[in-house]
Amino acid sequence: MLEDITMPSLGADMTDGTLNEWLVKEGDKVDVGDIIAVLETQKGAIDMEVYSAGTITEILVAPVAKVSVGTVLARLALTDTSSQAPLKKERTETLTTELKTSDVTKEGISQEVNTQDTHSQHDNSQEAGVNILTAQVESVQAEAMQTSRVLASPIVRRLAKEQQLDLAGIKGSGPQGAILLADLNAFLANDEHENISKTASSEQNMRQAIAAAMAKSKQEIPHFYISLAIDISAAQQWLQRHNKNKSPDERVLLLALLLKALAKSLLKYPQLNGFYQDASLPSSVFQGDVSQGEGFKQASAIHIGNVISLRQGGLLVPAIHDVDKLSVQEIMESLRDITQRSRTGHLRTSELTDASITVTNMGERGADSVFGVIYPPQVAILGFGKNKKELILANDKVTEVDKITACLSADHRVIDGMIAAKFLNYLSKQLQQPERL
Amino acid sequence: MNTENIEQLIIEAIQEVAPEIEQDDIDMDEDLREECDLDSMDFLNYLMALKQSTGISIVETDYSQVSTFNEMLSYLAKRLN
């Protein structure tokens, strides 16, 4: 059984990505979760994982190449047929273009671009999807034609891609006008401002990605908002006891407790943990949690996306997987890990695609509360505000307590206010017994 | 260890979490988390970096004694000298 490995969609806003490097070759055996390639996307450099075990039989796209989401990059012969995707599309038509330029230097300058995509023409319910895929194939072909006109060695292409340079703008001095490394170096030396515009352009890319996702969310999702001030005194005391005499790398932050309490609450209120499937969304967004038709699909696991603000501006939302199954200490380690990798690169594709709900913690930045915008196709986002001390009257006594405001933004197509309110109260209850989290 | 050396270690620890910050950017008597825009994860990583370079593990109950650059300087100086 063969499975296609495609350029993944890291969000409804992503249309294409660049294959920078293969970490496997044809004939290599891979296991679920192995990193097989490095991609460059609007969300930075991403490690691409494989979702089934098997042997790589064919590599169809050579790096460095920019291709549309859904483009088949390689094929995998599955070792375990039971692990095959539930919505496997039948391959009934294959489009192939192969563009070769003759060897023009002694190193052999050549490039081969294969674009293949598969879809079923028999299944009427997938007709919209077929049109999208066809359009993608056509656009990839067009791009392949365009790049094939510029002659350059693989090293030059790689460097140009790294520097985000358009090779069409560089004059080549090699045979038939081929661009040599010396031409590229000369171009770079003449173009000092290139570095500045490169940084600016990656920030701009991320801005565009955020803009597209948030505009889509606000246009399509009927949000409603509900909040609760939660007493976290017990949680804070537990943290103080836990962190006492621990070295900094073993300490736990409040957020880890909040995430664990959220995961436990989602087990009780699974309506908040999943995706609203829009007929126009590609099924790849759901990765196995998909079934046909429009409407809410409950996720099969609790993967919590965490909003991580980047120092240079912009943000990423990597997920921590199976939070309900992790201890508080393990959640803390995962938080540390994704924060680090969000800033240095090497987030994994799954981390950016399969979050089933999102958490944003703007209390860290001094906000009393945050009413977040849902990240489609999710149906809820939970925002935490800052810790505030309050005096409360309880059992005829005035006591000082720590409180944070939790705000739930939810998709009213899926969830009603009553469920949302009950959910927040259940979350609060979990935080009153932190030792049981 | 002299004051200059300790200052250098603090700056290096800050730059591990906030590479763009220079010593001139910091008001030495203002809250460092606000000066350098550090969240609690950044602050923890800053303490980890200091632990690595100085061997001193700053306990949570001492956080209030190390909130500014100068406070951290005197806190470490007392323990390193």
Side-chain angles (χ1 to χ4, degrees):
Chain A
M1 176 68 74
L2 278 182
E3 185 171 281
D4 294 338
I5 295 172
T6 58
M7 173 61 72
S9 169
L10 304 182
D13 46 293
M14 176 169 157
T15 55
D16 53 44
T18 301
L19 172 72
N20 262 358
E21 187 183 0
W22 281 110
L23 303 178
V24 291
K25 54 186 188 308
E26 288 178 359
D28 280 1
K29 285 201 183 337
V30 292
D31 211 347
V32 179
D34 281 358
I35 296 164
I36 57 166
V38 180
L39 308 176
E40 181 69 33
T41 72
Q42 285 174 315
K43 295 169 200 293
I46 303 297
D47 290 345
M48 180 175 168
E49 294 166 275
V50 66
Y51 295 105
S52 310
T55 306
I56 303 283
T57 54
E58 264 184 290
I59 284 183
L60 301 167
V61 176
V64 176
K66 186 176 179 180
V67 298
S68 302
V69 166
T71 303
V72 181
L73 302 173
R75 290 218 166 81
L76 181 71
L78 300 177
T79 41
D80 175 12
T81 47
S82 65
S83 72
Q84 105 196 52
L87 227 199
K88 189 94 179 80
K89 293 191 205 85
E90 291 230 343
R91 182 180 160 193
T92 55
E93 189 189 337
T94 304
L95 295 168
T96 308
T97 55
E98 196 166 290
L99 302 163
K100 285 191 176 176
T101 56
S102 55
D103 290 352
V104 289
T105 69
K106 60 181 174 191
E107 296 97 4
I109 296 174
S110 72
Q111 73 157 349
E112 185 173 305
V113 180
N114 288 335
T115 56
Q116 300 199 350
D117 220 326
T118 59
H119 53 257
S120 163
Q121 286 190 320
H122 306 304
D123 189 349
N124 289 336
S125 69
Q126 288 193 0
E127 207 162 328
V130 168
N131 290 338
I132 294 168
L133 286 176
T134 311
Q136 281 173 353
V137 170
E138 280 164 5
S139 76
V140 172
Q141 283 175 326
E143 197 165 328
M145 299 290 278
Q146 210 171 16
T147 50
S148 73
R149 284 201 294 271
V150 180
L151 295 178
S153 64
I155 177 73
V156 167
R157 285 186 190 281
R158 177 180 292 266
L159 288 171
K161 210 73 186 178
E162 279 169 17
Q163 307 270 351
Q164 300 191 356
L165 295 176
D166 183 2
L167 284 178
I170 303 174
K171 204 171 178 320
S173 61
Q176 297 177 29
I179 299 162
L180 306 177
L181 199 53
D183 300 324
L184 190 68
N185 289 337
F187 181 83
L188 287 174
N190 285 335
D191 218 338
E192 281 292 317
H193 66 269
E194 208 43 56
N195 274 335
I196 299 158
S197 68
K198 181 188 150 199
T199 316
S201 108
S202 82
E203 278 170 30
Q204 209 175 10
N205 277 343
M206 184 175 283
R207 197 69 256 149
Q208 280 169 1
I210 296 168
M214 295 300 98
K216 179 183 165 61
S217 173
K218 276 286 185 171
Q219 279 157 10
E220 292 176 7
I221 302 177
H223 287 65
F224 74 92
Y225 311 91
I226 194 161
S227 74
L228 181 70
I230 296 178
D231 185 342
I232 52 157
S233 310
Q236 294 284 47
Q237 283 155 17
W238 183 89
L239 285 171
Q240 271 174 21
R241 283 197 303 275
H242 181 273
N243 291 342
K244 199 178 176 188
N245 304 324
K246 290 242 169 43
S247 87
D249 52 311
E250 295 166 328
R251 283 173 210 165
V252 168
L253 294 172
L254 177 65
L255 184 57
L257 279 182
L258 296 176
L259 290 178
K260 186 65 199 255
L262 168 60
K264 286 190 90 172
S265 306
L266 288 172
L267 288 173
K268 187 160 170 78
Y269 294 94
Q271 304 95 312
L272 291 158
N273 189 53
F275 314 102
Y276 188 87
Q277 193 180 344
D278 183 323
S280 70
L281 275 176
S283 58
S284 61
V285 171
F286 299 96
Q287 281 174 13
D289 283 316
V290 70
S291 59
Q292 288 296 328
E294 193 167 315
F296 177 66
K297 306 288 173 249
Q298 191 183 309
S300 55
I302 297 174
H303 300 327
I304 302 179
N306 292 272
V307 175
I308 294 178
S309 303
L310 302 181
R311 299 193 67 81
Q312 68 270 29
L315 55 86
L316 288 167
V317 193
I320 297 179
H321 291 156
D322 299 307
V323 179
D324 55 317
K325 299 190 177 84
L326 300 179
S327 69
V328 170
Q329 193 72 44
E330 285 168 332
I331 295 171
M332 183 64 200
E333 279 155 27
S334 302
L335 269 174
R336 203 191 294 281
D337 175 45
I338 56 169
T339 307
Q340 169 89 14
R341 284 188 290 120
S342 294
R343 289 170 184 168
T344 58
H346 299 294
L347 285 172
R348 290 159 158 247
T349 42
S350 65
E351 292 167 330
L352 287 169
T353 50
D354 61 8
S356 49
I357 188 167
T358 298
V359 163
T360 173
N361 187 22
M362 287 299 130
E364 280 284 345
R365 306 292 174 182
D368 283 342
S369 53
V370 49
F371 298 86
V373 179
I374 298 166
Y375 188 53
Q378 294 162 28
V379 299
I381 178 169
L382 186 64
F384 292 108
K386 72 175 173 190
N387 183 4
K388 288 192 287 189
K389 293 209 177 293
E390 274 183 27
L391 293 176
I392 58 157
L393 188 62
N395 304 326
D396 293 332
K397 274 201 328 202
V398 176
T399 342
E400 186 190 80
V401 296
D402 287 310
K403 281 196 169 183
I404 55 165
T405 300
C407 297
L408 181 74
S409 311
D411 184 338
H412 219 324
R413 293 173 299 185
V414 179
I415 302 137
D416 294 329
M418 191 187 74
I419 294 286
K422 281 172 136 180
F423 164 80
L424 283 181
N425 275 287
Y426 190 81
L427 177 75
S428 170
K429 211 169 130 190
Q430 302 309 306
L431 288 163
Q432 304 319 309
Q433 295 170 307
E435 64 284 353
R436 296 180 60 180
L437 284 172
Chain B
M1 197 180 283
N2 66 30
T3 307
E4 250 172 51
N5 290 343
I6 302 173
E7 266 185 25
Q8 188 56 35
L9 292 178
I10 298 174
I11 276 293
E12 280 167 12
I14 292 170
Q15 285 171 341
E16 238 169 79
V17 285
E20 78 283 7
I21 301 273
E22 301 286 341
Q23 187 155 3
D24 296 345
D25 301 336
I26 305 169
D27 184 328
M28 312 279 272
D29 294 310
E30 286 291 327
D31 188 304
L32 192 72
R33 292 178 60 159
E34 279 171 33
E35 284 295 295
C36 304
D37 194 22
L38 307 181
D39 62 18
S40 39
M41 183 67 82
D42 294 330
F43 191 72
L44 209 47
N45 288 334
Y46 158 65
L47 296 184
M48 276 167 66
L50 278 176
K51 192 198 166 191
Q52 213 155 33
S53 60
T54 65
I56 295 173
S57 174
I58 299 163
V59 296
E60 234 182 22
T61 42
D62 284 352
Y63 281 7
S64 60
Q65 296 174 43
V66 296
S67 49
T68 71
F69 192 102
N70 277 337
E71 283 173 0
M72 180 62 89
L73 190 60
S74 60
Y75 184 96
L76 292 176
K78 261 185 235 162
R79 285 156 180 84
L80 286 169
N81 295 326

Coordinates of all heavy atoms in Angstrom, one line a residue, chain A residues 185-236:
Chain A
N185 N 27.8 35.6 -5.5 CA 28.6 36.4 -4.6 C 28.8 37.8 -4.9 O 28.7 38.7 -4.1 CB 30.0 35.7 -4.4 CG 29.9 34.4 -3.6 OD1 28.9 34.2 -2.9 ND2 30.9 33.5 -3.9
A186 N 29.0 38.1 -6.2 CA 29.2 39.4 -6.7 C 27.8 40.2 -6.5 O 27.8 41.4 -6.1 CB 29.5 39.4 -8.2
F187 N 26.7 39.5 -6.8 CA 25.4 40.2 -6.6 C 25.2 40.5 -5.2 O 24.7 41.6 -4.9 CB 24.3 39.2 -7.1 CG 22.9 39.8 -7.0 CD1 22.4 40.6 -8.0 CD2 22.1 39.5 -6.0 CE1 21.2 41.1 -8.0 CE2 20.9 40.0 -5.9 CZ 20.4 40.8 -6.9
L188 N 25.5 39.6 -4.3 CA 25.3 39.8 -2.9 C 26.2 41.0 -2.3 O 25.8 41.8 -1.5 CB 25.6 38.5 -2.1 CG 24.6 37.4 -2.2 CD1 25.0 36.2 -1.5 CD2 23.2 37.9 -1.6
A189 N 27.5 41.0 -2.8 CA 28.4 42.1 -2.4 C 27.8 43.4 -2.8 O 28.0 44.4 -2.1 CB 29.8 41.8 -3.0
N190 N 27.2 43.5 -4.0 CA 26.6 44.7 -4.4 C 25.3 45.1 -3.8 O 24.8 46.2 -4.0 CB 26.4 44.7 -6.0 CG 27.7 44.7 -6.7 OD1 28.7 45.3 -6.2 ND2 27.7 44.2 -7.9
D191 N 24.8 44.2 -3.0 CA 23.5 44.4 -2.5 C 23.4 44.3 -1.0 O 22.8 43.3 -0.5 CB 22.6 43.4 -3.2 CG 21.2 44.0 -3.5 OD1 20.9 45.0 -2.9 OD2 20.5 43.5 -4.4
E192 N 24.1 45.2 -0.3 CA 24.2 45.1 1.1 C 22.8 45.2 1.8 O 22.6 44.6 2.9 CB 25.1 46.3 1.6 CG 26.6 46.0 1.4 CD 27.1 44.9 2.3 OE1 26.7 44.9 3.5 OE2 27.8 44.0 1.8
H193 N 21.9 45.9 1.2 CA 20.6 46.1 1.9 C 19.8 44.9 1.8 O 18.7 44.8 2.5 CB 19.9 47.3 1.4 CG 19.5 47.1 -0.1 ND1 20.2 47.5 -1.1 CD2 18.3 46.6 -0.6 CE1 19.6 47.2 -2.2 NE2 18.5 46.7 -2.0
E194 N 20.2 43.9 1.1 CA 19.5 42.7 0.9 C 19.1 42.0 2.3 O 18.0 41.5 2.5 CB 20.3 41.7 0.1 CG 19.6 40.7 -0.8 CD 18.3 41.2 -1.5 OE1 18.4 42.2 -2.3 OE2 17.3 40.7 -1.3
N195 N 20.1 42.0 3.2 CA 19.8 41.4 4.5 C 18.7 42.0 5.3 O 17.9 41.3 5.9 CB 21.1 41.5 5.4 CG 22.0 40.3 5.0 OD1 21.6 39.3 4.6 ND2 23.3 40.5 5.3
I196 N 18.7 43.4 5.2 CA 17.6 44.1 5.9 C 16.3 43.7 5.3 O 15.3 43.4 6.0 CB 17.8 45.6 5.8 CG1 19.2 45.9 6.5 CG2 16.7 46.4 6.5 CD1 19.8 47.2 6.1
S197 N 16.2 43.7 4.0 CA 14.9 43.4 3.4 C 14.5 42.0 3.6 O 13.3 41.7 3.6 CB 14.9 43.8 1.9 OG 15.7 42.9 1.2
K198 N 15.5 41.1 3.8 CA 15.2 39.7 4.0 C 14.4 39.5 5.4 O 13.4 38.9 5.5 CB 16.5 38.9 4.0 CG 16.3 37.4 4.2 CD 17.6 36.7 4.4 CE 17.5 35.5 5.3 NZ 18.8 35.1 5.8
T199 N 15.0 40.2 6.4 CA 14.4 40.1 7.7 C 13.0 40.7 7.7 O 12.0 40.2 8.2 CB 15.2 40.9 8.8 OG1 16.5 40.6 8.6 CG2 14.8 40.5 10.2
A200 N 12.9 41.9 7.0 CA 11.6 42.5 6.9 C 10.6 41.6 6.2 O 9.5 41.6 6.5 CB 11.8 43.9 6.1
S201 N 11.1 40.9 5.1 CA 10.1 40.1 4.4 C 9.6 38.9 5.2 O 8.5 38.5 5.1 CB 10.7 39.7 3.0 OG 11.0 38.4 3.0
S202 N 10.5 38.3 6.0 CA 10.0 37.2 6.8 C 9.0 37.6 7.9 O 8.0 36.9 8.2 CB 11.1 36.3 7.4 OG 11.6 36.9 8.5
E203 N 9.2 38.8 8.4 CA 8.3 39.4 9.4 C 6.9 39.7 8.7 O 5.9 39.5 9.2 CB 8.8 40.6 10.0 CG 9.7 40.3 11.2 CD 10.5 41.5 11.7 OE1 9.9 42.6 11.7 OE2 11.6 41.3 12.2
Q204 N 7.1 40.2 7.4 CA 5.9 40.5 6.7 C 5.1 39.3 6.3 O 3.9 39.3 6.4 CB 6.3 41.2 5.4 CG 5.3 42.2 4.8 CD 5.9 42.9 3.6 OE1 7.0 42.5 3.1 NE2 5.3 43.9 3.1
N205 N 5.8 38.2 6.0 CA 5.1 36.9 5.7 C 4.3 36.5 6.9 O 3.2 36.0 6.7 CB 6.2 35.8 5.4 CG 6.6 35.9 4.0 OD1 6.0 36.5 3.2 ND2 7.8 35.2 3.7
M206 N 4.9 36.5 8.1 CA 4.2 36.1 9.3 C 3.0 37.0 9.5 O 1.9 36.5 9.9 CB 5.2 36.1 10.5 CG 4.5 35.5 11.7 SD 5.6 35.3 13.1 CE 6.5 33.8 12.6
R207 N 3.2 38.3 9.3 CA 2.1 39.3 9.5 C 0.9 38.9 8.6 O -0.2 38.9 9.0 CB 2.6 40.7 9.2 CG 1.8 41.8 9.6 CD 1.8 42.0 11.1 NE 0.6 41.5 11.7 CZ 0.5 41.0 12.9 NH1 1.5 40.9 13.7 NH2 -0.7 40.6 13.4
Q208 N 1.3 38.5 7.3 CA 0.2 38.2 6.4 C -0.5 36.9 6.8 O -1.7 36.8 6.7 CB 0.8 38.0 5.0 CG 1.1 39.3 4.3 CD 1.9 39.1 3.0 OE1 2.3 38.0 2.7 NE2 2.2 40.2 2.4
A209 N 0.3 35.9 7.3 CA -0.3 34.7 7.7 C -1.3 34.9 8.9 O -2.4 34.4 8.9 CB 0.8 33.7 8.2
I210 N -0.9 35.7 9.9 CA -1.8 36.0 11.0 C -3.0 36.8 10.5 O -4.1 36.5 10.9 CB -1.0 36.9 12.1 CG1 0.2 36.1 12.6 CG2 -2.0 37.3 13.2 CD1 1.1 36.9 13.5
A211 N -2.8 37.7 9.6 CA -3.9 38.5 9.1 C -4.9 37.7 8.4 O -6.1 37.8 8.6 CB -3.3 39.6 8.1
A212 N -4.4 36.7 7.5 CA -5.4 35.9 6.8 C -6.2 35.0 7.7 O -7.4 34.9 7.6 CB -4.6 35.0 5.8
A213 N -5.5 34.4 8.7 CA -6.2 33.5 9.6 C -7.2 34.2 10.5 O -8.3 33.7 10.7 CB -5.2 32.7 10.5
M214 N -6.8 35.4 11.0 CA -7.7 36.1 11.9 C -8.8 36.7 11.2 O -10.0 36.8 11.7 CB -6.9 37.2 12.7 CG -5.8 36.6 13.6 SD -6.5 35.5 14.9 CE -6.3 33.9 14.2
A215 N -8.6 37.2 9.9 CA -9.7 37.8 9.2 C -10.7 36.7 8.8 O -11.9 36.9 9.0 CB -9.1 38.4 7.9
K216 N -10.2 35.5 8.4 CA -11.1 34.4 8.1 C -11.9 34.0 9.4 O -13.1 33.8 9.3 CB -10.2 33.2 7.7 CG -11.0 32.0 7.4 CD -10.1 30.8 7.0 CE -10.8 29.5 7.0 NZ -11.9 29.3 6.1
S217 N -11.3 34.0 10.5 CA -11.9 33.6 11.7 C -13.1 34.6 12.1 O -14.2 34.2 12.3 CB -10.9 33.6 12.9 OG -11.6 33.4 14.1
K218 N -12.7 35.9 12.0 CA -13.7 36.9 12.4 C -14.9 37.0 11.4 O -16.0 37.4 11.7 CB -13.1 38.3 12.6 CG -12.5 38.4 14.0 CD -13.6 38.6 15.1 CE -13.1 38.9 16.5 NZ -14.1 39.2 17.4
Q219 N -14.6 36.7 10.1 CA -15.6 36.8 9.1 C -16.5 35.5 9.2 O -17.7 35.6 8.9 CB -15.0 36.8 7.7 CG -14.6 38.2 7.3 CD -13.5 38.3 6.3 OE1 -13.2 37.2 5.7 NE2 -12.9 39.4 6.1
E220 N -16.0 34.4 9.5 CA -16.8 33.2 9.4 C -17.3 32.6 10.7 O -18.3 31.9 10.8 CB -15.9 32.1 8.7 CG -15.7 32.4 7.3 CD -14.7 31.4 6.6 OE1 -14.4 30.3 7.2 OE2 -14.3 31.6 5.5
I221 N -16.6 32.9 11.8 CA -16.9 32.2 13.1 C -17.8 33.2 13.9 O -17.3 34.3 14.3 CB -15.7 31.7 13.9 CG1 -14.9 30.8 13.0 CG2 -16.1 31.1 15.2 CD1 -13.6 30.3 13.6
P222 N -19.0 32.8 14.3 CA -19.8 33.7 15.2 C -19.3 33.5 16.6 O -19.7 32.5 17.3 CB -21.2 33.2 15.0 CG -21.1 31.8 14.5 CD -19.7 31.6 13.8
H223 N -18.3 34.3 17.0 CA -17.7 34.2 18.4 C -18.7 34.6 19.5 O -19.5 35.6 19.2 CB -16.5 35.2 18.5 CG -15.3 34.8 17.8 ND1 -15.2 34.7 16.4 CD2 -14.0 34.5 18.2 CE1 -14.0 34.3 16.0 NE2 -13.3 34.2 17.1
F224 N -18.6 34.0 20.6 CA -19.2 34.6 21.8 C -18.2 34.5 22.9 O -17.3 33.6 22.8 CB -20.6 34.1 22.2 CG -20.5 32.7 22.8 CD1 -20.5 32.5 24.2 CD2 -20.6 31.6 22.0 CE1 -20.5 31.3 24.8 CE2 -20.6 30.3 22.6 CZ -20.5 30.2 23.9
Y225 N -18.3 35.3 23.9 CA -17.2 35.4 25.0 C -17.9 35.3 26.3 O -18.9 35.8 26.6 CB -16.5 36.7 24.9 CG -16.0 37.0 23.5 CD1 -16.9 37.8 22.6 CD2 -14.8 36.6 23.0 CE1 -16.5 38.1 21.3 CE2 -14.4 36.9 21.7 CZ -15.3 37.6 20.8 OH -14.9 37.9 19.5
I226 N -17.1 34.6 27.2 CA -17.7 34.4 28.5 C -16.5 34.3 29.5 O -15.4 33.8 29.1 CB -18.6 33.1 28.6 CG1 -19.4 33.1 29.8 CG2 -17.8 31.8 28.4 CD1 -20.6 32.1 29.7
S227 N -16.6 34.9 30.7 CA -15.4 34.9 31.5 C -15.7 34.6 33.0 O -16.8 34.7 33.4 CB -14.7 36.3 31.4 OG -15.5 37.3 32.1
L228 N -14.7 34.2 33.7 CA -14.8 33.8 35.1 C -13.5 34.2 35.8 O -12.4 33.9 35.3 CB -15.1 32.3 35.2 CG -15.3 31.8 36.7 CD1 -16.6 32.3 37.2 CD2 -15.2 30.3 36.7
A229 N -13.6 34.9 37.0 CA -12.5 35.2 37.8 C -12.2 34.0 38.7 O -13.1 33.6 39.4 CB -12.7 36.4 38.6
I230 N -11.1 33.3 38.5 CA -10.8 32.1 39.2 C -9.8 32.3 40.3 O -8.8 32.9 40.1 CB -10.2 31.0 38.2 CG1 -11.3 30.7 37.1 CG2 -9.8 29.8 38.9 CD1 -10.8 29.7 36.0
D231 N -10.2 31.8 41.5 CA -9.3 31.8 42.6 C -8.1 30.8 42.4 O -8.3 29.6 42.4 CB -10.1 31.5 43.9 CG -9.3 31.7 45.2 OD1 -8.0 31.7 45.1 OD2 -9.9 31.7 46.2
I232 N -6.9 31.4 42.3 CA -5.8 30.5 42.1 C -4.8 30.4 43.3 O -3.7 30.0 43.2 CB -5.0 30.8 40.8 CG1 -4.6 32.3 40.9 CG2 -5.7 30.5 39.6 CD1 -3.4 32.6 40.1
S233 N -5.4 30.8 44.5 CA -4.5 30.8 45.7 C -4.0 29.4 46.0 O -2.8 29.2 46.3 CB -5.3 31.3 46.9 OG -5.9 32.5 46.6
A234 N -4.8 28.4 45.9 CA -4.4 27.0 46.1 C -3.3 26.6 45.1 O -2.3 26.0 45.5 CB -5.6 26.1 46.1
A235 N -3.5 27.0 43.9 CA -2.5 26.6 42.8 C -1.2 27.3 43.1 O -0.1 26.7 43.0 CB -3.1 27.0 41.5
Q236 N -1.3 28.6 43.5 CA 0.0 29.3 43.8 C 0.7 28.7 45.0 O 1.9 28.6 45.0 CB -0.3 30.8 44.1 CG -0.9 31.6 42.9 CD 0.2 32.0 41.9 OE1 1.0 31.1 41.5 NE2 0.2 33.2 41.5

